[in-house]
Amino acid sequence: MAMVMTSDVRFLEGDEFTISLRNLHQKGGLYQKAAATVQAAWGRAHSKQPFEEVFAGNARTNHGESRIPHCIKYDLTKFSRLVTVVNNGSCLFLYCGDHET
């Protein structure tokens, strides 16, 4: 599990995050654009941007995720989502993809 620390939040990469990002990118087209959005957010986390700026421009979904405590989901293009868990000063990049993968 990779970890990046900023002044206010510790960013973590879940075990399946990299695989989900690769799979989303390989689908091509608008899915690839969604993957690029996630890569940009992860890159901002690596460049030690504040939490608000890491996800700037990414809208949260209208519906939360009741199955995962402290979950925040972001809308991406082509009905894709970025799923994170934010708790106790940490943000875990858990998964990105569409509802079929």
Side-chain angles (χ1 to χ4, degrees):
M1 180 182 308
M3 180 180 78
V4 177
M5 185 70 188
T6 67
S7 60
D8 59 345
V9 175
R10 178 176 50 162
F11 290 93
L12 304 162
E13 178 182 337
D15 294 337
E16 296 184 25
F17 173 71
T18 302
I19 294 166
S20 68
L21 180 58
R22 183 195 68 220
N23 290 343
L24 187 62
H25 186 270
Q26 287 179 344
K27 290 179 88 167
L30 291 176
Y31 295 106
Q32 195 169 36
K33 182 178 178 182
T37 299
V38 174
Q39 288 171 322
W42 185 244
R44 286 189 295 273
H46 276 278
S47 66
K48 302 184 188 230
Q49 297 290 322
F51 179 81
E52 313 79 48
E53 293 184 28
V54 168
F55 298 103
N58 297 306
R60 291 182 179 188
T61 60
N62 291 331
H63 306 288
E65 177 55 74
S66 60
R67 296 171 292 178
I68 304 171
H70 310 288
C71 180
I72 299 175
K73 294 190 323 188
Y74 296 92
D75 277 323
L76 304 171
T77 60
K78 196 64 176 170
F79 303 108
S80 299
R81 304 282 186 270
L82 168 61
V83 180
T84 65
V85 176
V86 180
N87 191 29
N88 293 329
S90 296
C91 175
L92 174 66
F93 279 63
L94 191 60
Y95 170 84
C96 61
D98 59 13
H99 290 283
E100 295 180 21
T101 56

